[in-house]
Amino acid sequence: MEWREEAIVLGVRRQGETSVIAEVMTRARGRHLGIVRGGRSRRQQPVLQPGNSVEAHWRARLDEHMGTFILEPVTLRAASLIESAAALNAVQLAAAHLRLLPERDPHPRLYDGLAVLIEHLTEPQTVAALMLRFEIALLEELGFGLDLTRCAATGQTSDLVYVSPKTGRAVSREAGAPWHDKLLALPAFLAEEGGAEGEDELRAAFRLTGYFLARNVFGPRGIKEPEARHGLLAALGKAGVRPRRNPSAEE
């Protein structure tokens, strides 16, 4: 069994004295593991840093085996990541989110989102917006998609300013007015293409995705929100992008 494909490194862990198990994300084969012989060498370590783009060559005797990787560098980003706490946490958070998916289960939309994200890691404002859209896509891929396109009560597609915490569906300003204190805010840039991504909008958007991730994904699995998410929010705040820490689903 054998394949070649461009991939993005998500992480590595030690395997024996000289090798590592590399975890990569591919477009056609999803999140995939494989052993890299000599992966702890000085030559290999710079290639195996999370966020790097590589050409992955995988081989195994049988398809169900873990197999081995040969990973050749395409784009190395370690130097730029080290200089930015937001970038480091964004890569770690994206990897943590992707680990919620079954191994070898293709999710091309998430691969494409990750590829765009890592190209803008040095731009905190852009990273914030891209991570939010990545989390919305993740919810959809996991079967908990949000409907932000039309009002759940009236069917209208304009002036959508709320989201129901029960259904994940958008609600218009007029329809949601009587219950505005019980609804989640829907930032305009998520409801409309080209909307502004100001500080308040980003803060509300992280609260929105954090709520549904906690309720539908982390809570039922008995896991906590990734530490990298807290780290990303803190790093964005220091960079002048100030999203508020998300409340839990019970709050």
Side-chain angles (χ1 to χ4, degrees), residues 30-57:
R31 186 173 60 87
H32 209 292
L33 302 180
I35 297 172
V36 179
R37 307 293 185 193
R40 297 180 61 196
S41 68
R42 290 184 179 181
R43 186 180 71 85
Q44 285 289 317
Q45 285 183 6
V47 178
L48 298 177
Q49 295 302 308
N52 283 347
S53 295
V54 296
E55 184 70 23
H57 179 195

Side-chain angles (χ1 to χ4, degrees), residues 6-8 10 23-27 30-31 98 107 111 114:
E6 188 165 324
I8 298 169
L10 300 180
E23 180 183 31
V24 304
M25 183 67 181
T26 70
R27 196 173 196 278
R31 186 173 60 87
L98 291 169
H107 292 271
Y111 175 83
L114 177 63

